[in-house]
Amino acid sequence: MGSFRLGGMTFGSLFKKPETLLYPLEKKNPYPHQKGHIVNDVDACILCGMCQKSCPCHCIRVDKAELLWEIDPFMCVQCGTCVRVCPTKCLSMDGTPTPVATAKYRRDLTVPKKEKKAKAADAGAQDAKAEPQP
């Protein structure tokens, strides 16, 4: 009796789509609410610090003076608390896993605000105007 069941399962699997994926060629799409890593929309961030205050593992650092928002993704436990408390909803949980990094990039992967770059570019333009032309 058991051999008939085994034969039926084997025969049935010949005509079905395979259950496994060929990993490097095909990648599985993440589930809608799967935890992965935190993504910050830097343009919408107001650097209020609510995410830093609510983070249970203290992996987020916000510095308003330097216009800097940074996270240590390897200390983050992907609880999503920072995403829930963000007043501008600029933080989101991406379903893909945290990207691989070498040991030297393991700490403090930073995302600087665009205004800092714009201020540096304006300062560079003013320095260029101040220099005398020969």
Side-chain angles (χ1 to χ4, degrees):
M1 187 79 172
S3 60
F4 289 117
R5 285 187 185 162
L6 183 61
M9 286 191 312
T10 305
F11 186 70
S13 66
L14 291 174
F15 301 106
K16 286 195 283 187
K17 184 179 172 185
E19 298 289 331
T20 58
L21 296 175
L22 299 173
Y23 170 64
L25 302 175
E26 301 174 22
K27 293 189 179 176
K28 188 176 182 180
N29 294 331
Y31 297 109
H33 297 288
Q34 181 175 342
K35 295 179 180 180
H37 66 278
I38 302 294
V39 178
N40 187 2
D41 179 15
V42 181
D43 296 329
C45 185
I46 59 172
L47 296 172
C48 64
M50 292 298 293
C51 53
Q52 178 181 358
K53 292 173 187 170
S54 67
C55 183
C57 57
H58 308 292
C59 65
I60 297 175
R61 186 172 76 95
V62 179
D63 191 357
K64 215 171 203 175
E66 293 182 21
L67 297 174
L68 190 69
W69 183 93
E70 66 184 4
I71 185 168
D72 185 354
F74 301 103
M75 282 181 60
C76 182
V77 294
Q78 289 91 22
C79 64
T81 304
C82 56
V83 175
R84 287 190 297 275
V85 300
C86 183
T88 60
K89 303 298 179 201
C90 64
L91 294 177
S92 62
M93 183 75 74
D94 191 9
T96 59
T98 304
V100 177
T102 60
K104 66 180 182 177
Y105 296 113
R106 188 174 171 106
R107 299 279 310 160
D108 300 331
L109 301 175
T110 60
V111 181
K113 295 271 293 178
K114 287 190 176 183
E115 289 113 32
K116 186 175 183 180
K117 293 178 186 176
K119 285 181 182 178
D122 291 340
Q126 289 175 357
D127 291 341
K129 288 179 184 177
E131 292 178 13
Q133 298 293 331

